[in-house]
Amino acid sequence: MSGNITLTMIKPDAVKNNYIGAILAKINEAGFKIKAMKYTKLSVEQAREFYAVHKDRPFYNDLVEFMTSGPIVAAILEKENAVEDFRKLIGATNPADAEEGTIRKLYAESMQNNAVHGSDSDENANIEANFHFSKTERF
Ligand code: ATP
Ligand code: MG
């Protein structure tokens, strides 16, 4: 059965480029409800933990540096089939490969500075939601 939440982060590039409003509008238009949201900045330790699955990849240190370079918006989004539908809405990791109309096609700068994060499984959606939010921060 597919789950109904996913975790997103509007990454430092999109915050810097003033795309928070445009990206949230896309998210709402696509039928996602916001269950939790915060404007925050990841510490190096938090970013290393969040992307620990990539710790042996050549881009890991740069990714951690980028993700801690400025504030982000983290949010739990709710919708039927949330993980898969949100990944469709954001498009491919590399914006050059992302479909027209997707968030990354519209707002990303590069493969690394790709505007948004989206969970890749229901299991990770729950882990990532718990990483950013307590129970009392969810509505
Ligand atoms: P995310 O997990 O942020 O939603 P994704 O699932 O599309 O992105 P992953 O493979 O999980 O892609 O990579 C995590 C992030 O690491 C990417 O979103 C991007 O910011 C960065 N990244 C991935 N591959 C590369 C690469 N080859 N070069 C530079 N940065 C990369
Ligand atoms: Mg990923």
Side-chain angles (χ1 to χ4, degrees):
M1 206 188 86
S2 56
N4 65 347
I5 66 156
T6 190
L7 185 284
T8 189
M9 293 185 288
I10 300 177
K11 296 185 180 183
D13 61 316
V15 171
K16 230 167 264 164
N17 292 328
N18 285 329
Y19 291 140
I20 294 175
I23 291 171
L24 291 178
K26 278 265 172 205
I27 287 171
N28 280 148
E29 280 160 21
F32 291 89
K33 284 195 157 178
I34 294 166
K35 275 192 77 67
M37 184 160 69
K38 68 174 66 159
Y39 191 45
T40 185
K41 188 165 182 280
L42 295 176
S43 66
V44 169
E45 199 174 52
Q46 284 177 308
R48 289 181 74 85
E49 184 186 338
F50 191 91
Y51 282 112
V53 63
H54 297 306
K55 66 178 169 10
D56 297 326
R57 308 285 288 278
F59 59 80
Y60 180 66
N61 285 337
D62 287 344
L63 176 61
V64 169
E65 193 179 324
F66 162 60
M67 286 303 296
T68 57
S69 67
I72 61 157
V73 175
I76 300 174
L77 306 177
E78 184 177 56
K79 182 183 185 293
E80 208 177 292
N81 203 32
V83 166
E84 194 184 338
D85 285 3
F86 191 68
R87 290 193 66 100
K88 259 185 219 142
L89 179 66
I90 68 179
T93 307
N94 187 346
D97 301 330
E99 279 185 40
E100 290 299 326
T102 60
I103 290 175
R104 283 171 168 163
K105 183 71 170 190
L106 289 165
Y107 304 119
E109 291 180 337
S110 65
M111 178 92 163
Q112 176 188 264
N113 302 9
N114 60 2
V116 280
H117 165 80
S119 306
D120 61 9
S121 68
D122 292 341
E123 189 190 355
N124 284 335
N126 283 306
I127 292 169
E128 293 171 3
N130 292 334
F131 178 93
H132 281 289
F133 298 99
S134 68
K135 277 193 181 124
T136 56
E137 293 174 308
R138 301 175 192 205
F139 305 97

